[in-house]
Amino acid sequence: MGSIIAKMLLPTVSSLAFMPAISVAAKRGFHMEAMVYFFTMFFIAIYHACDGPGLSILCFMRYEILEYFSVYGTAISMWVTLIALGDFDEPKRSTLTMFGVLTAGVRIYQDRWGYGVYSGPIGTAVLMITVKWLRKMKDKKGLYPEKSVYTQQVGPGFCFGALALMLRFFFEEWDYTYVHSFYHVSLAMAFVLVLPKTNRLGGTGGNPAKLSCYTLCCCGTKPAIKDKIQTIWSTTTKRPWIRACDPGLPFRRPQPETK
């Protein structure tokens, strides 16, 4: 009996394979991608938990809604990972990201189990990346990007991604529990491998901006906030009338200027 229960809970537990992808994305400065991975892991776990025995209390939404968002999160995770690999400049990067988010929602609503749910985002992103890299190669007259990107990221990552899709669409009839669980692991591994080493747009030079309460709530890092507070303080001491706009600021009586 215990083995049967463990087998039924395996798809839920295997969704935790996304935790390394979340951690790696946050450490490399891909905070948006980390949030998307967490969204995907959460709904996949809750969706499969509703299939398990004695876990129906976790079904805070209708089963169809959980099913929809588990597929939607997976498709969006693929899309944002490939857009990050393409290393597009702004505003093209944010525009392409939002384009994938909107179109995937409509496509999955029409048919959430078809091949196009994943092949559409993957094919579109790969085509755009290929065009960009070929243009860079033409301008550079050499290999772009460097060889390590192909050998350490693109090659292994796409192999794990292809394995995940094969397990998802062709081999689940063998044994759904084990095959689908290995699908989660392969997909998470593909995200970790394909994601670039650093986020070029994640910081202002040096190490990428780290995930913290300041970056999540204030959209800045500690030094930036500290400089802003010092600027407000110095301005307030010179112009006391500013305190009327914000009573929370400390008041300091201006000293008379000496000639």
Side-chain angles (χ1 to χ4, degrees):
M1 184 65 181
S3 61
I4 297 177
I5 295 177
K7 184 177 179 180
M8 296 181 67
L9 293 179
L10 189 59
T12 302
V13 177
S14 63
S15 63
L16 298 179
F18 285 89
M19 287 297 297
I22 298 171
S23 177
V24 169
K27 184 177 181 180
R28 294 178 180 178
F30 293 95
H31 300 155
M32 181 194 68
E33 288 77 4
M35 183 173 59
V36 174
Y37 297 156
F38 177 80
F39 175 90
T40 305
M41 181 191 70
F42 176 79
F43 277 99
I44 287 178
I46 300 299
Y47 165 65
H48 288 295
C50 291
D51 291 332
L55 296 178
S56 58
I57 190 175
L58 297 177
C59 301
F60 62 96
M61 293 182 180
R62 294 201 312 270
Y63 186 80
E64 294 78 9
I65 298 178
L66 295 174
E67 182 183 64
Y68 173 86
F69 281 112
S70 64
V71 178
Y72 178 72
T74 303
I76 295 302
S77 297
M78 296 177 181
W79 176 257
V80 298
T81 303
L82 291 172
I83 294 299
L85 176 65
D87 194 22
F88 296 96
D89 294 325
E90 293 290 354
K92 183 182 294 185
R93 181 174 183 174
S94 57
T95 302
L96 292 175
T97 301
M98 186 55 61
F99 171 78
V101 170
L102 297 177
T103 55
V106 178
R107 178 65 180 86
I108 296 172
Y109 184 82
Q110 292 178 339
D111 180 16
R112 68 191 66 175
W113 300 119
Y115 300 119
V117 171
Y118 302 137
S119 63
I122 293 174
T124 304
V126 169
L127 177 61
M128 293 188 300
I129 293 173
T130 302
V131 172
K132 178 188 175 181
W133 287 2
L134 288 177
R135 293 179 61 182
K136 290 286 188 179
M137 291 180 188
K138 181 179 179 181
D139 297 337
K140 186 180 178 181
K141 295 182 180 180
L143 184 64
Y144 180 88
E146 56 187 18
K147 184 179 179 180
S148 61
V149 175
Y150 293 96
T151 58
Q152 299 177 11
Q153 291 180 232
V154 177
F158 276 47
C159 287
F160 273 97
L163 175 62
L165 294 178
M166 290 175 62
L167 293 173
R168 169 66 178 81
F169 290 105
F170 299 106
F171 297 102
E172 280 192 349
E173 296 181 356
W174 289 6
D175 192 322
Y176 175 82
T177 300
Y178 294 108
V179 173
H180 196 79
S181 299
F182 194 64
Y183 155 72
H184 291 162
V185 177
S186 301
L187 189 63
M189 183 60 66
F191 294 154
V192 173
L193 292 172
V194 173
L195 203 65
K197 302 299 182 182
T198 57
N199 185 4
R200 181 172 57 88
L201 303 177
T204 56
N207 295 328
K210 295 182 179 180
L211 189 64
S212 63
C213 295
Y214 292 94
T215 55
L216 288 176
C217 303
C218 304
C219 301
T221 57
K222 289 183 179 180
I225 296 176
K226 184 178 180 181
D227 295 341
K228 184 181 294 186
I229 294 175
Q230 291 178 350
T231 303
I232 295 175
W233 173 261
S234 60
T235 306
T236 306
T237 55
K238 295 179 180 179
R239 301 178 182 178
W241 54 268
I242 294 181
R243 186 175 181 274
C245 300
D246 191 352
L249 292 175
F251 177 75
R252 175 182 294 180
R253 185 179 298 279
Q255 301 296 329
E257 298 181 357
T258 57
K259 298 183 180 180

